[in-house]
Amino acid sequence: MKIGICPGSFDPVTNGHLDIIKRASHVVDKVVVAVLNNPFKNPLFTIEERINILKEATKEIPNVEIDSFSGLLVDYVNMKNADVIIKGLRAVSDFEYEFQMALMNKKLNKNVETMFMMTSSEYSYLSSSIVKETFKLNGCIEGLVPDHVIDAMRKKFKEVL
Ligand code: ADP
């Protein structure tokens, strides 16, 4: 059984992430979406909230598991007995960072492979940050994230502002 790990902040999940997760679910037997618990970032949603939002968003995909991790991704990949890290690429600007990460992960553990999937053109400009920024300024984000994410953001911004 081939296991792929889709790591990220998912703060919150967007339709761009979901596109990659769905496509990955056709390539491997199981996709583990791993939410990075990074104490140096200042996320809008807590780990638990991001996990719950992801669970709701992926409930129709049978071979997806939602989890979280902290520390080195390669250690987490080993712990899950996974075969491959699957990442999305939006633009040339993603490439440099992802190239560096993939090579560093290879250096840390030569058995860990990274696979890249090109974004679908309709999501190529989409990131969690641009969605949050737009929403904060009352811009319309319909169609860019699932509806329950819009509800969660509405609630969250009421709490934090
Ligand atoms: P973001 O940049 O949106 O905060 P994350 O850190 O959560 O994203 O990213 C997790 C993974 O999802 C990364 O591999 C990233 O390149 C990919 N990704 C994010 N948005 C998109 C998109 N619109 N299309 C394809 N891949 C994406």
Side-chain angles (χ1 to χ4, degrees), residues 7-11 14 16-17 20 41 87-90 94 98 119-120 123-124 126-129:
S9 306
F10 306 102
D11 186 39
T14 68
H17 292 127
I20 297 291
K41 277 198 177 172
K87 304 217 72 186
L89 271 187
R90 281 163 292 198
D94 275 349
E98 295 294 351
T119 180
S120 297
Y123 303 128
S124 60
L126 209 52
S127 69
S128 298
S129 348

PDB file of all heavy atoms in Angstrom, residues 7-11 14 16-17 20 41 87-90 94 98 119-120 123-124 126-129, ligand 1:
ATOM      1  N   PRO A   7       1.899  17.679   3.243  1.00  0.00           N
ATOM      2  CA  PRO A   7       2.110  18.533   4.415  1.00  0.00           C
ATOM      3  C   PRO A   7       1.784  19.991   4.107  1.00  0.00           C
ATOM      4  O   PRO A   7       1.801  20.407   2.948  1.00  0.00           O
ATOM      5  CB  PRO A   7       3.616  18.385   4.668  1.00  0.00           C
ATOM      6  CG  PRO A   7       4.188  18.158   3.300  1.00  0.00           C
ATOM      7  CD  PRO A   7       3.113  17.530   2.444  1.00  0.00           C
ATOM      8  N   GLY A   8       1.478  20.765   5.136  1.00  0.00           N
ATOM      9  CA  GLY A   8       1.222  22.194   4.924  1.00  0.00           C
ATOM     10  C   GLY A   8       0.660  22.838   6.168  1.00  0.00           C
ATOM     11  O   GLY A   8       0.415  22.162   7.176  1.00  0.00           O
ATOM     12  N   SER A   9       0.430  24.148   6.078  1.00  0.00           N
ATOM     13  CA  SER A   9      -0.142  24.870   7.225  1.00  0.00           C
ATOM     14  C   SER A   9      -1.668  24.785   7.206  1.00  0.00           C
ATOM     15  O   SER A   9      -2.299  24.774   8.258  1.00  0.00           O
ATOM     16  CB  SER A   9       0.259  26.341   7.183  1.00  0.00           C
ATOM     17  OG  SER A   9       1.648  26.439   7.096  1.00  0.00           O
ATOM     18  N   PHE A  10      -2.247  24.813   6.015  1.00  0.00           N
ATOM     19  CA  PHE A  10      -3.704  24.721   5.851  1.00  0.00           C
ATOM     20  C   PHE A  10      -4.437  25.681   6.788  1.00  0.00           C
ATOM     21  O   PHE A  10      -5.323  25.283   7.538  1.00  0.00           O
ATOM     22  CB  PHE A  10      -4.189  23.275   6.055  1.00  0.00           C
ATOM     23  CG  PHE A  10      -3.487  22.286   5.179  1.00  0.00           C
ATOM     24  CD1 PHE A  10      -2.474  21.457   5.666  1.00  0.00           C
ATOM     25  CD2 PHE A  10      -3.812  22.193   3.835  1.00  0.00           C
ATOM     26  CE1 PHE A  10      -1.805  20.556   4.846  1.00  0.00           C
ATOM     27  CE2 PHE A  10      -3.160  21.287   3.000  1.00  0.00           C
ATOM     28  CZ  PHE A  10      -2.154  20.467   3.515  1.00  0.00           C
ATOM     29  N   ASP A  11      -4.047  26.945   6.711  1.00  0.00           N
ATOM     30  CA  ASP A  11      -4.587  27.943   7.659  1.00  0.00           C
ATOM     31  C   ASP A  11      -5.407  29.011   6.936  1.00  0.00           C
ATOM     32  O   ASP A  11      -4.965  30.170   6.897  1.00  0.00           O
ATOM     33  CB  ASP A  11      -3.422  28.565   8.436  1.00  0.00           C
ATOM     34  CG  ASP A  11      -3.910  29.495   9.530  1.00  0.00           C
ATOM     35  OD1 ASP A  11      -4.923  29.166  10.172  1.00  0.00           O
ATOM     36  OD2 ASP A  11      -3.290  30.552   9.747  1.00  0.00           O
ATOM     37  N   THR A  14      -7.738  25.632   1.279  1.00  0.00           N
ATOM     38  CA  THR A  14      -8.378  26.316   0.139  1.00  0.00           C
ATOM     39  C   THR A  14      -8.751  25.272  -0.924  1.00  0.00           C
ATOM     40  O   THR A  14      -8.322  24.106  -0.836  1.00  0.00           O
ATOM     41  CB  THR A  14      -7.418  27.319  -0.538  1.00  0.00           C
ATOM     42  OG1 THR A  14      -6.366  26.570  -1.168  1.00  0.00           O
ATOM     43  CG2 THR A  14      -6.824  28.306   0.452  1.00  0.00           C
ATOM     44  N   GLY A  16      -7.520  25.172  -3.726  1.00  0.00           N
ATOM     45  CA  GLY A  16      -6.235  24.816  -4.351  1.00  0.00           C
ATOM     46  C   GLY A  16      -5.621  23.619  -3.647  1.00  0.00           C
ATOM     47  O   GLY A  16      -5.168  22.655  -4.288  1.00  0.00           O
ATOM     48  N   HIS A  17      -5.610  23.639  -2.303  1.00  0.00           N
ATOM     49  CA  HIS A  17      -5.130  22.480  -1.541  1.00  0.00           C
ATOM     50  C   HIS A  17      -5.979  21.249  -1.856  1.00  0.00           C
ATOM     51  O   HIS A  17      -5.454  20.161  -2.082  1.00  0.00           O
ATOM     52  CB  HIS A  17      -5.272  22.715  -0.029  1.00  0.00           C
ATOM     53  CG  HIS A  17      -4.383  23.761   0.556  1.00  0.00           C
ATOM     54  ND1 HIS A  17      -4.862  24.788   1.318  1.00  0.00           N
ATOM     55  CD2 HIS A  17      -3.042  23.928   0.525  1.00  0.00           C
ATOM     56  CE1 HIS A  17      -3.865  25.545   1.732  1.00  0.00           C
ATOM     57  NE2 HIS A  17      -2.743  25.061   1.250  1.00  0.00           N
ATOM     58  N   ILE A  20      -5.220  19.445  -5.015  1.00  0.00           N
ATOM     59  CA  ILE A  20      -4.012  18.597  -4.930  1.00  0.00           C
ATOM     60  C   ILE A  20      -4.314  17.328  -4.122  1.00  0.00           C
ATOM     61  O   ILE A  20      -3.927  16.218  -4.511  1.00  0.00           O
ATOM     62  CB  ILE A  20      -2.839  19.382  -4.262  1.00  0.00           C
ATOM     63  CG1 ILE A  20      -2.440  20.606  -5.102  1.00  0.00           C
ATOM     64  CG2 ILE A  20      -1.626  18.468  -4.016  1.00  0.00           C
ATOM     65  CD1 ILE A  20      -1.784  20.312  -6.433  1.00  0.00           C
ATOM     66  N   LYS A  41       5.142  30.256  13.673  1.00  0.00           N
ATOM     67  CA  LYS A  41       4.138  30.948  12.853  1.00  0.00           C
ATOM     68  C   LYS A  41       3.009  31.400  13.757  1.00  0.00           C
ATOM     69  O   LYS A  41       2.823  30.874  14.842  1.00  0.00           O
ATOM     70  CB  LYS A  41       3.591  30.000  11.768  1.00  0.00           C
ATOM     71  CG  LYS A  41       4.493  29.950  10.547  1.00  0.00           C
ATOM     72  CD  LYS A  41       3.744  29.396   9.353  1.00  0.00           C
ATOM     73  CE  LYS A  41       4.608  29.415   8.106  1.00  0.00           C
ATOM     74  NZ  LYS A  41       3.989  28.719   6.992  1.00  0.00           N
ATOM     75  N   LYS A  87       3.500  17.433  -2.979  1.00  0.00           N
ATOM     76  CA  LYS A  87       3.337  18.876  -2.809  1.00  0.00           C
ATOM     77  C   LYS A  87       2.784  19.505  -4.084  1.00  0.00           C
ATOM     78  O   LYS A  87       2.976  18.974  -5.171  1.00  0.00           O
ATOM     79  CB  LYS A  87       4.677  19.522  -2.462  1.00  0.00           C
ATOM     80  CG  LYS A  87       5.332  18.910  -1.225  1.00  0.00           C
ATOM     81  CD  LYS A  87       6.032  19.917  -0.375  1.00  0.00           C
ATOM     82  CE  LYS A  87       5.089  20.807   0.361  1.00  0.00           C
ATOM     83  NZ  LYS A  87       5.762  21.872   1.086  1.00  0.00           N
ATOM     84  N   GLY A  88       2.112  20.629  -3.904  1.00  0.00           N
ATOM     85  CA  GLY A  88       1.605  21.352  -5.060  1.00  0.00           C
ATOM     86  C   GLY A  88       2.571  22.461  -5.441  1.00  0.00           C
ATOM     87  O   GLY A  88       3.247  23.021  -4.580  1.00  0.00           O
ATOM     88  N   LEU A  89       2.635  22.754  -6.734  1.00  0.00           N
ATOM     89  CA  LEU A  89       3.482  23.863  -7.205  1.00  0.00           C
ATOM     90  C   LEU A  89       2.613  24.866  -7.939  1.00  0.00           C
ATOM     91  O   LEU A  89       1.900  24.503  -8.869  1.00  0.00           O
ATOM     92  CB  LEU A  89       4.530  23.344  -8.192  1.00  0.00           C
ATOM     93  CG  LEU A  89       5.864  22.857  -7.691  1.00  0.00           C
ATOM     94  CD1 LEU A  89       6.762  22.559  -8.877  1.00  0.00           C
ATOM     95  CD2 LEU A  89       6.534  23.830  -6.746  1.00  0.00           C
ATOM     96  N   ARG A  90       2.662  26.118  -7.483  1.00  0.00           N
ATOM     97  CA  ARG A  90       1.819  27.132  -8.119  1.00  0.00           C
ATOM     98  C   ARG A  90       2.555  27.919  -9.194  1.00  0.00           C
ATOM     99  O   ARG A  90       2.037  28.191 -10.249  1.00  0.00           O
ATOM    100  CB  ARG A  90       1.296  28.117  -7.073  1.00  0.00           C
ATOM    101  CG  ARG A  90       0.143  27.588  -6.293  1.00  0.00           C
ATOM    102  CD  ARG A  90      -0.080  28.361  -5.048  1.00  0.00           C
ATOM    103  NE  ARG A  90       1.006  28.146  -4.108  1.00  0.00           N
ATOM    104  CZ  ARG A  90       0.923  28.409  -2.829  1.00  0.00           C
ATOM    105  NH1 ARG A  90      -0.158  28.941  -2.323  1.00  0.00           N
ATOM    106  NH2 ARG A  90       1.939  28.161  -2.026  1.00  0.00           N
ATOM    107  N   ASP A  94       7.265  29.361  -6.108  1.00  0.00           N
ATOM    108  CA  ASP A  94       7.211  28.194  -5.210  1.00  0.00           C
ATOM    109  C   ASP A  94       8.412  27.292  -5.439  1.00  0.00           C
ATOM    110  O   ASP A  94       8.878  26.630  -4.523  1.00  0.00           O
ATOM    111  CB  ASP A  94       5.960  27.332  -5.499  1.00  0.00           C
ATOM    112  CG  ASP A  94       4.720  27.807  -4.772  1.00  0.00           C
ATOM    113  OD1 ASP A  94       4.848  28.665  -3.888  1.00  0.00           O
ATOM    114  OD2 ASP A  94       3.621  27.307  -5.095  1.00  0.00           O
ATOM    115  N   GLU A  98      10.643  25.025  -2.718  1.00  0.00           N
ATOM    116  CA  GLU A  98      10.314  23.593  -2.719  1.00  0.00           C
ATOM    117  C   GLU A  98      11.513  22.747  -3.147  1.00  0.00           C
ATOM    118  O   GLU A  98      11.714  21.648  -2.634  1.00  0.00           O
ATOM    119  CB  GLU A  98       9.112  23.317  -3.638  1.00  0.00           C
ATOM    120  CG  GLU A  98       7.818  23.959  -3.177  1.00  0.00           C
ATOM    121  CD  GLU A  98       7.271  23.382  -1.853  1.00  0.00           C
ATOM    122  OE1 GLU A  98       7.808  22.364  -1.365  1.00  0.00           O
ATOM    123  OE2 GLU A  98       6.326  23.958  -1.309  1.00  0.00           O
ATOM    124  N   THR A 119      -0.292  22.925 -10.057  1.00  0.00           N
ATOM    125  CA  THR A 119      -1.606  23.460  -9.701  1.00  0.00           C
ATOM    126  C   THR A 119      -2.543  23.427 -10.909  1.00  0.00           C
ATOM    127  O   THR A 119      -2.090  23.494 -12.049  1.00  0.00           O
ATOM    128  CB  THR A 119      -1.456  24.918  -9.217  1.00  0.00           C
ATOM    129  OG1 THR A 119      -2.741  25.433  -8.882  1.00  0.00           O
ATOM    130  CG2 THR A 119      -0.851  25.817 -10.268  1.00  0.00           C
ATOM    131  N   SER A 120      -3.846  23.352 -10.646  1.00  0.00           N
ATOM    132  CA  SER A 120      -4.801  23.543 -11.737  1.00  0.00           C
ATOM    133  C   SER A 120      -4.847  25.040 -12.006  1.00  0.00           C
ATOM    134  O   SER A 120      -4.767  25.843 -11.061  1.00  0.00           O
ATOM    135  CB  SER A 120      -6.180  23.042 -11.325  1.00  0.00           C
ATOM    136  OG  SER A 120      -6.115  21.662 -11.076  1.00  0.00           O
ATOM    137  N   TYR A 123      -6.568  27.685  -9.882  1.00  0.00           N
ATOM    138  CA  TYR A 123      -6.147  27.909  -8.489  1.00  0.00           C
ATOM    139  C   TYR A 123      -4.713  28.415  -8.377  1.00  0.00           C
ATOM    140  O   TYR A 123      -4.166  28.494  -7.284  1.00  0.00           O
ATOM    141  CB  TYR A 123      -6.279  26.612  -7.687  1.00  0.00           C
ATOM    142  CG  TYR A 123      -7.659  26.023  -7.707  1.00  0.00           C
ATOM    143  CD1 TYR A 123      -7.868  24.692  -8.057  1.00  0.00           C
ATOM    144  CD2 TYR A 123      -8.763  26.808  -7.364  1.00  0.00           C
ATOM    145  CE1 TYR A 123      -9.146  24.147  -8.077  1.00  0.00           C
ATOM    146  CE2 TYR A 123     -10.043  26.271  -7.376  1.00  0.00           C
ATOM    147  CZ  TYR A 123     -10.225  24.940  -7.740  1.00  0.00           C
ATOM    148  OH  TYR A 123     -11.480  24.402  -7.753  1.00  0.00           O
ATOM    149  N   SER A 124      -4.113  28.742  -9.496  1.00  0.00           N
ATOM    150  CA  SER A 124      -2.669  29.008  -9.481  1.00  0.00           C
ATOM    151  C   SER A 124      -2.305  30.235  -8.640  1.00  0.00           C
ATOM    152  O   SER A 124      -1.187  30.367  -8.190  1.00  0.00           O
ATOM    153  CB  SER A 124      -2.153  29.181 -10.908  1.00  0.00           C
ATOM    154  OG  SER A 124      -2.819  30.254 -11.501  1.00  0.00           O
ATOM    155  N   LEU A 126      -3.939  31.066  -5.848  1.00  0.00           N
ATOM    156  CA  LEU A 126      -4.617  30.938  -4.563  1.00  0.00           C
ATOM    157  C   LEU A 126      -3.671  30.518  -3.438  1.00  0.00           C
ATOM    158  O   LEU A 126      -2.896  29.586  -3.584  1.00  0.00           O
ATOM    159  CB  LEU A 126      -5.706  29.866  -4.732  1.00  0.00           C
ATOM    160  CG  LEU A 126      -6.938  29.968  -3.871  1.00  0.00           C
ATOM    161  CD1 LEU A 126      -7.544  31.342  -3.961  1.00  0.00           C
ATOM    162  CD2 LEU A 126      -7.941  28.902  -4.298  1.00  0.00           C
ATOM    163  N   SER A 127      -3.736  31.218  -2.313  1.00  0.00           N
ATOM    164  CA  SER A 127      -3.003  30.799  -1.119  1.00  0.00           C
ATOM    165  C   SER A 127      -3.881  31.093   0.090  1.00  0.00           C
ATOM    166  O   SER A 127      -4.802  31.917   0.002  1.00  0.00           O
ATOM    167  CB  SER A 127      -1.684  31.555  -0.990  1.00  0.00           C
ATOM    168  OG  SER A 127      -1.945  32.914  -0.687  1.00  0.00           O
ATOM    169  N   SER A 128      -3.594  30.448   1.208  1.00  0.00           N
ATOM    170  CA  SER A 128      -4.371  30.719   2.426  1.00  0.00           C
ATOM    171  C   SER A 128      -4.244  32.192   2.803  1.00  0.00           C
ATOM    172  O   SER A 128      -5.228  32.809   3.220  1.00  0.00           O
ATOM    173  CB  SER A 128      -3.861  29.859   3.578  1.00  0.00           C
ATOM    174  OG  SER A 128      -4.021  28.504   3.280  1.00  0.00           O
ATOM    175  N   SER A 129      -3.057  32.747   2.656  1.00  0.00           N
ATOM    176  CA  SER A 129      -2.867  34.151   3.070  1.00  0.00           C
ATOM    177  C   SER A 129      -3.698  35.108   2.230  1.00  0.00           C
ATOM    178  O   SER A 129      -4.301  36.038   2.772  1.00  0.00           O
ATOM    179  CB  SER A 129      -1.415  34.593   2.999  1.00  0.00           C
ATOM    180  OG  SER A 129      -0.577  33.535   2.820  1.00  0.00           O
TER     181      SER A 129
HETATM  182  P1  ADP B   1      -0.241  28.291   1.618  1.00  0.00           P
HETATM  183  O1  ADP B   1       0.912  28.778   0.793  1.00  0.00           O
HETATM  184  O2  ADP B   1      -1.552  28.420   0.926  1.00  0.00           O
HETATM  185  O3  ADP B   1      -0.239  28.800   3.049  1.00  0.00           O
HETATM  186  P2  ADP B   1       0.510  25.661   2.678  1.00  0.00           P
HETATM  187  O4  ADP B   1       1.744  25.963   3.411  1.00  0.00           O
HETATM  188  O5  ADP B   1      -0.650  25.196   3.499  1.00  0.00           O
HETATM  189  O6  ADP B   1      -0.035  26.759   1.699  1.00  0.00           O
HETATM  190  O7  ADP B   1       0.834  24.632   1.506  1.00  0.00           O
HETATM  191  C1  ADP B   1       0.721  23.255   1.519  1.00  0.00           C
HETATM  192  C2  ADP B   1       0.995  22.720   0.135  1.00  0.00           C
HETATM  193  O8  ADP B   1      -0.082  23.058  -0.735  1.00  0.00           O
HETATM  194  C3  ADP B   1       2.250  23.272  -0.546  1.00  0.00           C
HETATM  195  O9  ADP B   1       2.839  22.222  -1.272  1.00  0.00           O
HETATM  196  C4  ADP B   1       1.716  24.314  -1.480  1.00  0.00           C
HETATM  197  O10 ADP B   1       2.572  24.520  -2.592  1.00  0.00           O
HETATM  198  C5  ADP B   1       0.417  23.674  -1.917  1.00  0.00           C
HETATM  199  N1  ADP B   1      -0.567  24.618  -2.384  1.00  0.00           N
HETATM  200  C6  ADP B   1      -1.128  25.640  -1.703  1.00  0.00           C
HETATM  201  N2  ADP B   1      -2.014  26.320  -2.477  1.00  0.00           N
HETATM  202  C7  ADP B   1      -2.008  25.696  -3.699  1.00  0.00           C
HETATM  203  C8  ADP B   1      -2.688  25.904  -4.944  1.00  0.00           C
HETATM  204  N3  ADP B   1      -3.535  26.927  -5.097  1.00  0.00           N
HETATM  205  N4  ADP B   1      -2.430  25.067  -5.963  1.00  0.00           N
HETATM  206  C9  ADP B   1      -1.549  24.055  -5.798  1.00  0.00           C
HETATM  207  N5  ADP B   1      -0.871  23.802  -4.672  1.00  0.00           N
HETATM  208  C10 ADP B   1      -1.087  24.598  -3.625  1.00  0.00           C
END
